[in-house]
Amino acid sequence: KVVDPNASEIRRYASIIFSDQDDYTDLQLRLNSYDATKQPFKDLPNSYGAIASLLDYNDSLFVLQNTKASLIPVNRTIVSDASGSETVLATSKVLGVQKFYAGENGCDTNPESVAIYGNTVLWANKQKGEVYKFTPSSGVQIISSKGMKGYFRDMFSTLIQNQSPTQTVRVAGGYDVEHDEYIISAYNQQLL
């Protein structure tokens, strides 16, 4: 045992902490091993707010912070050159370099609005009054601006203005496979 007189507690609001890699052929479970000497975390910029949603997205993690969407490759790094072309490199680092998408397009404080279907991720941001769609080929798109911009802006604005101090705006979303639709429900929910 080691006693460190300089030890302190750190609260990480925008960080991903990960365990040792588990080998399924080994009988020893390593998913509960967090060796601090290996720095098993990746700090994301606090300026984009807390991590609201973290999704398993193929060979990456899709991260939605309060005001930003990004992609973090797992066990690989993406290197870009001046012309904009990207190269994927294998690495021993667990989490690679984070790739941010243009715009303030996070899911605010409503991770319940996030829905994923195949390679498509959909979510809403009540503060901006917008609904978003992400695909690898198109990046982040504001789908609410296609004929519904005023409707969503007014709906979210009305909910925010009408909420009491004992309420919060809840924005629940889901994907209907049968009708190929993103379904969203927003209302003021009483806090317990």
Side-chain angles (χ1 to χ4, degrees), residues 124-126 129 152-160 171 184 186:
N125 184 317
K126 68 178 178 275
F152 282 108
R153 184 186 61 239
D154 294 345
M155 178 186 70
F156 287 128
S157 175
T158 302
L159 286 170
I160 291 169
V171 183
I184 188 168

Side-chain angles (χ1 to χ4, degrees), residues 79-157:
V79 179
S80 299
D81 61 16
S83 67
S85 64
E86 297 177 340
T87 306
V88 177
L89 303 173
T91 180
S92 62
K93 291 178 64 176
V94 175
L95 299 177
V97 178
Q98 188 174 14
K99 178 182 178 182
F100 292 100
Y101 293 96
E104 290 187 7
N105 45 28
C107 67
D108 197 35
T109 57
N110 296 103
E112 68 275 11
S113 73
V114 180
I116 186 168
Y117 179 69
N119 280 337
T120 304
V121 182
L122 301 131
W123 70 94
N125 184 317
K126 68 178 178 275
Q127 294 295 333
K128 306 258 312 168
E130 296 176 334
V131 178
Y132 302 94
K133 174 183 175 181
F134 170 79
T135 57
S137 58
S138 306
V140 176
Q141 299 173 309
I142 305 171
I143 59 172
S144 58
S145 64
K146 298 179 181 179
M148 297 289 287
K149 184 176 186 174
Y151 172 79
F152 282 108
R153 184 186 61 239
D154 294 345
M155 178 186 70
F156 287 128
S157 175

Side-chain angles (χ1 to χ4, degrees), residues 50-54 62-66 68-69 105-107 114 121 123:
I51 297 172
S53 183
L54 187 64
F62 188 75
V63 181
L64 284 168
Q65 290 177 259
N66 291 353
K68 203 65 154 169
N105 45 28
C107 67
V114 180
V121 182
W123 70 94

